[in-house]
Structures are given as C-alpha cells and as structure tokens.
Amino acid sequence: MPILGLPQSSTPLKPAHFDVEKVFRPNILALHPYRCARDDYKEGILLDANENALGHSIARPSSSSHSNVPDELTPDLIQTLDLDLHRYPDPSHDDIKSRLASLRGLPNPAHVFLGVGSDEVIDLLMRVCVAPEREKILITPPTYGMYSVCAQVNDIGVVKVPLEFSGDAGEGGEKGRFSLRVDEVKKAIDADPSIKLIFLCSPGNPTGTLIPLSSIRAILDYEKFKGIVIVDEAYIDFSEPNASAVSLVKDYANLCVMQTLSKSFGLAAIRLGIAFAQPPIIQILTNTKAPYNISTPTAHLALAALSPASVSSMRTKISTLKSSRTALLQALSAIHDIGASIGGNDANFVMVPILAKQDDTLSKDSLKEVNRTREIDNTRAQKVYKSLAEQNGVVVRFRGNEPGCLGCLRITVGTEEENRTVVQRLKEVLRVL
C-alpha cells in the first residue's frame, strides 16, 4: 500500500532487507489525514477556518496610557502581539525545515519533521509502528525515561538491553564508562521478532555517552531487524564534531534521528522537537500529527534561532559550556567524598557518585587506604540531593535508581557562578551528612 502524500519513486531503499511499508501499522498506511484550512490556501481574505476575524483580545499599551494592560504583558512580549495570533499556524513550516535541513546537511525539507518537543516524535513513532499488546520497542537503560512512559501509555511491550558498564567509580578509581552492547541487541532481536523500534540515546541521558556511528550502522545493517532505529540526539551539539547519526540518513531508510532546540539552542520553553529521516517516515509522521501542532510564536522564535547569526551565537555558547564542563569536572574531582565521573562527557551535564562517609579519626595513611576501596553510598546521595535543594537552594538530579548509576547525582553545567556555587555547597553538605 503506497504512503499517502508521498510521490512514487523508483529508487530502491537501503538497506535491502528493510521494507518501510511493512513497518507501519496497516491502519496508519490507510489513514487519510485531516485536511487543514491552510493546506490549500494561505493568502487572501481567509474565511475558511472559522477564526476570529477581529483579531486577538489581548490589551495593548497605548502611547498615552498603560492602563488596563495585563500585568503579564511584559515589554519583551509586546512584539508577539504583532503576529497573526488569530489565524491558525502554518501546518508545514517549510522555512524552518529548510534551515534545519541545511544546518544538518540534508537535501531538502522532505527529510524533516517538527514536533511539540521530542516527546511528540517519540509518541508518534510508537503509535504509527507498534501494535498495542502485540509488539514491542527495545531500549538500552539507563536511558531517557519517556521511552518507557510512552510505551506504557500506548500499551506496548518494552525489551531492555542494559548498557555495559566498566571501570571503577570509587575515589581514585578509573572513570566509569557505558557502552552499547551491539551483540546483545542483536540477540534480543533474534529472540523477539515483535520488536519494531529501537531507541538509542546518544549522547545518553543520564550517561552522557556518545554511541559510535559504527555501532549504530551495525544495527541498521542487521538483516534480521525489520524495524526502525531511532537515535535521540538531544545533546549532540555538545559532543565532538561529525558525531551525529544524521550523516547516515541518506544511506538508511530504517533510521530516524531526533534532535531538539531545547538544549544547545537554549529554547526549552518553546517545545520544538525535530525528526530527520528519509521522506517515507517523515510523510507518515506528517499524516498522523495533529493539524496545527507547532504554534505561531514557537515557529517565529525557531526561525530566528536558525538564522546564521543565531547559529553562530549558539556555537559560541556551546564552546563556553564545554570549557565550563571541563572546569566543573576538575572541581568535583577534588572533593574527596565524590567519586570519578560516570559515563561520557558529551552532553551539557556531568554525573558523579557520592561515596560513603569516611571516619575522620583515622590516620592519614589509613584514610588513603580507605579511599581506594570506599564504596558508593546511594542513601547518602539521596540525602545530599535533598539537602542541596531544600536547605541550600541548589537543585541537581538524583539518578541513583537507574541501572549503573548507583549513588549518582546528575549536575547540569551552569554559568561560572552557578558552577562555583554547586561545588561549594556540595562541600558544605558533605561535611555534615
């Protein structure tokens, strides 16, 4: 069954073992999407969408008086009122997609989908591909929690292949590292042909670990897997150059790469998620999404964020945050009650374990011996997390309940002042807990 809205192509899809039409649920392939009022015409006297022709009702400040202006209408929001807020948004936003395609090295907007955050993309992919109660997704914990949440909401199964952990996270030990177990993923595929989607978070959350493109390619090329590999790259801009799996999209029809404007672009509030894939996947997502999922204010800000000047500013800030990440890790490593960092350092956060409290009455030689073997203390980590937030005004994330993250706190790289503060408050809290 052809995909509605997708032009016919004689070019064979790669890899050869993948049939895109067999991945999507039959009811999705047969779906005739809702036709938006703006799908056909976007200019003229628009009397087709039952919009309010008199415009929005938000009071504006006048030159003579600021009375009756809502307190919420701060000066930075006034220009938003000049947008066509009484009209439904553009359902396609091809101008944004064009800039994203150019930024990530893809040929055209047909390779780009926009969602309300990456979470909408995650949910849509599950709904269009995975049959409730019968089929499954595969995840690699510790990983982003929304994969499991969306799976439960959609009543689909979850197969877990934990990342491999190596190293010693104790004080003075080798940095703990995570890696994708490609052979174990293949074994899971062999054992359960109902797996339709594989979610790989790279760089990982909470691990900060970048998955090598060679490992992703090995799964894409595995003939026994007939589904789609989704690579979640929310933090990719904080990683090394040329690490993005978007470079593989042109060669693999069974790949979907998710990104977002929330992290590197600093636009978490506008909720804009992105999917990069070959046109068949993008067309199905487009057919299935809500009619006007991206608001006009969001689109306005996103387009500005993707201008050359803004992209240059983004890259400058990333460079600053990466330097701050290095400095933060160095400062944390000097605190004796904190172990070596866990995972990779390819995101805008670090993850460190809290160690068991040492006996201050021991001699210096005895303390050195204890420090070499001191264990991670998950209970103490929870207490440190709560004390930081409730008594010290510093909020980090406790991740000690995730596989391989025992006793760990995940700390976002902040401003220089924020980083100095979190280090100082950690020292103070660890003295008393």
Side-chain angles (χ1 to χ4, degrees):
M1 181 183 297
I3 297 173
L4 191 68
L6 186 71
Q8 292 292 325
S9 172
S10 58
T11 304
L13 295 178
K14 297 183 289 185
H17 68 266
F18 178 70
D19 185 343
V20 67
E21 292 182 15
K22 291 182 179 179
V23 178
F24 301 122
R25 295 166 58 194
N27 59 307
I28 299 298
L29 282 174
L31 176 70
H32 283 257
Y34 176 80
R35 291 291 298 170
C36 302
R38 296 289 82 80
D39 277 332
D40 296 324
Y41 305 104
K42 299 180 181 180
E43 297 178 351
I45 298 175
L46 301 174
L47 303 178
D48 57 341
N50 303 332
E51 299 151 329
N52 188 328
L54 301 184
H56 65 74
S57 301
I58 301 173
R60 294 174 178 268
S62 66
S63 57
S64 58
S65 172
H66 286 268
S67 61
N68 298 322
V69 176
D71 293 337
E72 297 84 1
L73 190 58
T74 55
D76 57 314
L77 292 179
I78 291 175
Q79 65 174 352
T80 305
L81 302 183
D82 294 329
L83 302 174
D84 288 332
L85 300 181
H86 66 302
R87 299 294 184 190
Y88 286 111
D90 180 349
S92 59
H93 299 293
D94 284 337
D95 47 359
I96 298 174
K97 293 177 182 178
S98 292
R99 289 190 178 184
L100 283 166
S102 176
L103 179 67
R104 301 309 189 190
L106 291 172
N108 55 56
H111 291 75
V112 185
F113 174 82
L114 304 180
V116 182
S118 297
D119 296 336
E120 182 183 18
V121 181
I122 294 167
D123 182 66
L124 269 178
L125 284 164
M126 290 188 193
R127 285 196 283 131
V128 302
C129 295
V130 191
E133 298 184 338
R134 293 192 292 108
E135 296 176 327
K136 301 171 185 175
I137 65 167
L138 184 149
I139 63 173
T140 59
T143 192
Y144 183 43
M146 280 303 294
Y147 309 145
S148 294
V149 170
C150 284
Q152 185 168 352
V153 168
N154 287 288
D155 199 17
I156 60 182
V158 179
V159 175
K160 299 179 181 180
V161 179
L163 297 173
E164 184 174 25
F165 180 78
S166 60
D168 179 5
E171 184 172 18
E174 180 188 352
K175 170 185 169 65
R177 299 182 182 277
F178 289 92
S179 58
L180 179 67
R181 300 187 296 169
V182 175
D183 289 343
E184 294 301 315
V185 172
K186 290 181 178 179
K187 287 179 183 178
I189 292 168
D190 294 344
D192 195 340
S194 72
I195 296 172
K196 297 290 289 292
L197 303 176
I198 295 174
F199 284 89
L200 303 176
C201 198
S202 177
N205 178 13
T207 67
T209 299
L210 183 70
I211 299 175
L213 294 183
S214 58
S215 296
I216 295 171
R217 193 181 288 110
I219 299 174
L220 291 166
D221 284 330
Y222 190 53
E223 293 185 2
K224 293 185 179 180
F225 181 56
K226 309 299 183 182
I228 298 172
V229 176
I230 298 103
V231 182
D232 187 344
E233 292 188 341
Y235 302 94
I236 194 64
D237 289 319
F238 299 99
S239 185
E240 60 191 49
N242 304 315
S244 174
V246 174
S247 63
L248 304 179
V249 166
K250 64 181 183 299
D251 294 323
Y252 291 95
N254 54 343
L255 172 65
C256 179
V257 180
M258 298 191 303
Q259 293 184 5
T260 177
L261 296 192
S262 294
K263 310 299 182 182
S264 57
F265 284 88
L267 289 171
I270 74 170
R271 307 304 299 127
L272 189 78
I274 306 144
F276 297 106
Q278 290 194 13
I281 292 176
I282 298 302
Q283 186 64 53
I284 284 290
L285 293 176
T286 301
N287 290 352
T288 314
K289 74 174 181 67
Y292 306 103
N293 61 330
I294 306 302
S295 74
T296 295
T298 288
H300 180 71
L301 291 167
L303 194 63
L306 293 164
S307 70
S310 296
V311 170
S312 177
S313 174
M314 177 268 286
R315 287 173 173 156
T316 298
K317 290 184 177 181
I318 285 176
S319 179
T320 299
L321 286 169
K322 290 169 76 171
S323 297
S324 296
R325 180 180 66 196
T326 300
L328 177 60
L329 281 169
Q330 290 174 344
L332 292 171
S333 68
I335 302 176
H336 294 306
D337 284 357
I338 294 179
S341 63
I342 299 288
N345 296 314
D346 289 295
N348 67 335
F349 58 83
V350 300
M351 189 164 64
V352 291
I354 302 300
L355 305 180
K357 192 171 181 65
Q358 63 186 8
D359 186 349
D360 294 332
T361 65
L362 296 174
S363 66
K364 289 185 178 180
D365 289 340
S366 297
L367 281 173
K368 288 181 181 179
E369 181 61 31
V370 169
N371 284 343
R372 279 195 288 268
T373 59
R374 201 151 38 128
E375 294 184 351
I376 294 170
D377 191 332
N378 204 50
T379 301
R380 190 184 188 201
Q382 285 182 300
K383 292 178 180 178
V384 170
Y385 157 70
K386 289 179 70 73
S387 179
L388 281 174
E390 296 174 8
Q391 281 85 48
N392 293 272
V394 175
V395 182
V396 297
R397 195 78 181 266
F398 173 72
R399 298 279 76 182
N401 295 327
E402 300 290 327
C405 304
L406 187 71
C408 283
L409 301 181
R410 193 192 70 192
I411 305 172
T412 303
V413 179
T415 64
E416 288 188 12
E417 181 179 352
E418 289 171 335
N419 294 340
R420 284 193 299 269
T421 299
V422 72
V423 170
Q424 182 58 37
R425 300 285 167 83
L426 268 170
K427 290 178 180 177
E428 294 169 0
V429 170
L430 286 167
R431 285 195 198 103
V432 297
L433 288 180

